[in-house]
Amino acid sequence: LAVIPAQTIKFDSFKDVVVRSAQSEDAGAIIEYTKMVLVDSDWSCTQSHEFDLTTEQEVEWIEDHRNSPGKLVIIALSGSDIVGLVDFANGSRERNRHVGVLGISVRKDWRRLGLGEVMLQILLDWAKVNPIIEKVTLAVFCTNKPAIGLYQKMGFSEEGRRIGEFKLSQEKYVDDLLLYINTKQA
Ligand SMILES: CC(C)(COP(=O)(O)OP(=O)(O)OC[C@H]1O[C@@H](n2cnc3c(N)ncnc32)[C@H](O)[C@@H]1OP(=O)(O)O)[C@@H](O)C(=O)NCCC(=O)NCCS
């Protein structure tokens, strides 16, 4: 079962934030949150109007993560508002179950306060003691300076680049940067 205990994080000038595993009751709020953060989706392949998960599908996604030892969805809550989300899912085969892919977002008005770093550290701490997971990976638009800055600060390294992977307009292409961190090394 992949869940973390709820923990309260104190930010200097802001209210407390509770970080906990998502549960099926959060499905509707997660859909609304995701649509909201995708509105300024210069950093995401999926655009807001393309995000069309139903509540049932979202519940299934949350339950699949909760019931899989190598997967995790955590949300950060300010009161009842979701202000951050991290998801992680490992491979489904014997030969790739030690590796997983990470996603992270923080609500626009909560960025640059340290929440992304706190949430990513919680995921990496979980991965470190997880008996299956050895490597955390992610893919990021090469133009996404905030996210790349966060990943570099947390010790991620580049392992590849997919050239022109995303087409933003007729002339504008963006490379996909592949980053990783080994979680079982000091
Ligand atoms: C990437 C993201 C999650 C960072 O969250 P955040 O809470 O703002 O990040 P933090 O405040 O914890 O910052 C941690 C570090 O990240 C880097 N960073 C964050 N925002 C940055 C920015 N705008 N410019 C440069 N570096 C930045 C810095 O190294 C920072 O450390 P510092 O404060 O000591 O300088 C947030 O910008 C976001 O939600 N972006 C949209 C979604 C997204 O791009 N997700 C990643 C897709 S792969």
Side-chain angles (χ1 to χ4, degrees):
L1 202 72
V3 289
I4 55 154
Q7 46 191 295
T8 303
I9 315 290
K10 292 193 183 301
F11 286 92
D12 286 350
S13 47
F14 280 82
K15 281 188 283 185
D16 296 350
V17 169
V18 173
V19 178
R20 64 164 171 79
S21 288
Q23 49 203 40
S24 34
E25 293 75 18
D26 300 315
I30 290 178
I31 289 174
E32 290 315 309
Y33 167 82
T34 306
K35 280 184 188 157
M36 181 172 45
V37 293
L38 284 178
V39 166
D40 61 320
S41 63
D42 293 345
W43 49 274
S44 159
C45 180
T46 307
Q47 298 175 72
S48 189
H49 65 272
E50 295 171 322
F51 180 81
D52 55 3
L53 273 193
T54 63
T55 309
E56 292 71 29
Q57 289 168 327
E58 189 72 41
V59 167
E60 214 172 286
W61 182 78
I62 294 168
E63 286 304 317
D64 174 54
H65 280 68
R66 288 183 72 90
N67 294 323
S68 308
K71 298 183 184 178
L72 193 68
V73 188
I74 55 181
I75 53 174
L77 292 154
S78 166
S80 57
D81 290 348
I82 298 179
V83 293
L85 188 143
V86 172
D87 65 274
F88 178 84
N90 68 336
S92 59
R93 305 295 185 210
E94 279 178 24
R95 290 178 173 178
N96 69 0
R97 63 201 294 268
H98 65 295
V99 181
V101 184
L102 152 88
I104 183 168
S105 64
V106 168
R107 202 173 80 180
K108 207 167 189 178
D109 55 326
W110 276 78
R111 290 180 196 161
R112 289 252 65 169
L113 298 171
L115 181 57
E117 191 173 332
V118 164
M119 295 189 77
L120 187 49
Q121 190 60 57
I122 290 172
L123 177 89
L124 293 176
D125 290 345
W126 166 84
K128 203 168 190 171
V129 297
N130 184 295
I132 308 168
I133 305 305
E134 297 173 31
K135 180 180 173 187
V136 172
T137 71
L138 61 93
V140 57
F141 278 32
C142 68
T143 46
N144 191 344
K145 286 205 169 66
I148 293 169
L150 170 65
Y151 302 136
Q152 280 172 345
K153 188 174 182 186
M154 304 303 279
F156 282 77
S157 306
E158 187 174 332
E159 64 177 348
R161 177 185 278 258
R162 297 193 285 197
I163 308 297
E165 185 71 8
F166 305 110
K167 186 171 184 173
L168 303 192
S169 67
Q170 212 48 41
E171 298 85 25
K172 199 172 171 198
Y173 294 81
V174 171
D175 295 348
D176 202 19
L177 210 56
L178 309 178
L179 306 182
Y180 79 102
I181 190 167
N182 287 321
T183 55
K184 295 294 186 278
Q185 283 166 14

